[in-house]
Amino acid sequence: MNSEKNILLKDIQRRKRKRSLVINSLAVGGALVLFTLLGFVHHKQKSTLCWKLDVQIQAPEGKAYLDEKYISQLAHQASEKIEGAEIDQIDIKAIHKKIAENSTVKEAYVYTSVDGRCVIRVEQRTPIARIFNEDGSSFYLDKDGFTMALSNHYTAKVPVFVGSINEKMHITSFLDRANDQQFLGSTKLDDIYTFTKFISQNEFWKAQVEHVHITSSGDFEVIPRLGNHRINMGDANNLEEKFKKLMAFYANTVHSKDLNNYSSIHLEYDGQVVCVKRLN
């Protein structure tokens, strides 16, 4: 009985070794084939000439702040020769660095293809506010807290902030400096961002708020599309409560035809709405 059991065990072990040998042989063979193919592809790519610079721009809703011609110019500034050059001679890293430095570019992907193309895929930033400094300079603030240069190809229809503003463009997002109290104390970007994000979440206010004037004391004065008055919101705190007060005032106190009787509506005071009547 023990003899039969030993024979059975030896047979099982022999089958396992055989199966393991087959699997290892297949793995080694597959690896050799893979390395051969990779070597062939690499050799083919080295000898392949680039016949096209393929620029692809992701422009949500057709709002293109960049065009293919401009991206192509940046690419040629970074790499001396692209079309007609051997694929492995194109400086992919330099092209990526040059394009990524543009403030309108959120993400850039640069690579070469087996068929001989140099492909550049660009994802744009999405502006949510336009800022006008006192010196006349202007730029956008995007949804990720980055500053973004204006475009020659498209003007974003976003709330415009004017008044006592003296901001600079930054290469990093102000959201990444949330713990830098010195920086936050010297900028209005955080308040503008908070104000704009709140407006964008409400269809009524998104349609109503077009221009916002920031006073020397830091108050936000909305210049609405409806009515010939200004709405003083105070600072960017407690915006939901302030807008609720204003909506209640609109609904229960005045009709739209009466709004022109007021030069300003003040919401910065706790629990009340203060109106200033027009003198003339």
Side-chain angles (χ1 to χ4, degrees), residues 48-279:
T48 300
L49 298 181
C50 177
W51 63 277
K52 182 181 181 181
L53 177 59
D54 187 359
V55 178
Q56 305 168 11
I57 298 177
Q58 181 180 335
E61 301 178 2
K63 300 174 182 177
Y65 300 97
L66 300 165
D67 66 356
E68 290 82 359
K69 182 179 179 181
Y70 178 68
I71 296 298
S72 296
Q73 290 174 347
L74 293 180
H76 283 96
Q77 290 172 14
S79 186
E80 184 176 350
K81 187 177 182 181
I82 300 178
E83 295 92 342
E86 291 185 359
I87 285 293
D88 67 331
Q89 296 300 312
I90 299 174
D91 196 338
I92 299 298
K93 290 184 178 180
I95 294 175
H96 178 271
K97 182 176 183 296
K98 184 69 175 179
I99 294 173
E101 287 174 349
N102 188 283
S103 63
T104 305
V105 174
K106 180 178 181 179
E107 296 285 354
Y109 306 91
V110 184
Y111 57 92
T112 55
S113 64
V114 177
D115 65 354
R117 291 175 300 135
C118 178
V119 182
I120 301 175
R121 291 195 297 112
V122 172
E123 181 181 351
Q124 298 179 145
R125 296 199 179 281
T126 303
I128 60 172
R130 182 170 179 178
I131 296 170
F132 276 93
N133 285 319
E134 287 184 316
D135 63 5
S137 60
S138 181
F139 57 85
Y140 293 121
L141 182 65
D142 95 319
K143 67 177 184 178
D144 298 314
F146 286 88
T147 51
M148 172 182 163
L150 302 182
S151 169
N152 294 325
H153 306 288
Y154 188 86
T155 301
K157 295 180 181 179
V158 293
V160 175
F161 291 79
V162 299
S164 182
I165 306 176
N166 294 285
E167 297 289 343
K168 297 179 180 178
M169 292 189 64
H170 304 276
I171 60 174
T172 59
S173 169
F174 82 86
L175 295 176
D176 294 332
R177 306 177 67 176
N179 296 322
D180 187 345
Q181 296 302 317
Q182 183 176 358
F183 169 74
L184 294 179
S186 65
T187 183
K188 292 184 175 69
L189 291 178
D190 54 337
D191 287 337
I192 292 174
Y193 182 86
T194 299
F195 197 91
T196 306
K197 291 289 283 187
F198 181 85
I199 291 172
S200 67
Q201 295 169 3
N202 186 293
E203 289 299 324
F204 175 80
W205 291 115
K206 189 162 61 173
Q208 180 73 335
V209 178
E210 186 175 26
H211 287 83
V212 180
H213 180 268
I214 299 181
T215 68
S216 57
S217 60
D219 286 354
F220 284 70
E221 289 186 340
V222 175
I223 305 171
R225 286 190 174 95
L226 178 63
N228 187 23
H229 60 281
R230 293 195 176 196
I231 305 168
N232 192 314
M233 304 294 298
D235 57 27
N237 295 320
N238 303 319
L239 291 176
E240 184 173 0
E241 179 185 343
K242 293 172 182 178
F243 275 109
K244 281 183 178 178
K245 288 194 301 182
L246 182 61
M247 289 299 292
F249 174 76
Y250 280 166
N252 301 319
T253 308
V254 298
H255 300 288
S256 59
K257 63 181 181 181
D258 299 322
L259 290 177
N260 289 332
N261 294 330
Y262 301 97
S263 61
S264 61
I265 299 173
H266 293 258
L267 305 174
E268 67 267 37
Y269 307 109
D270 290 338
Q272 59 181 323
V273 176
V274 176
C275 300
V276 178
K277 282 195 173 183
R278 197 174 301 281
L279 295 177

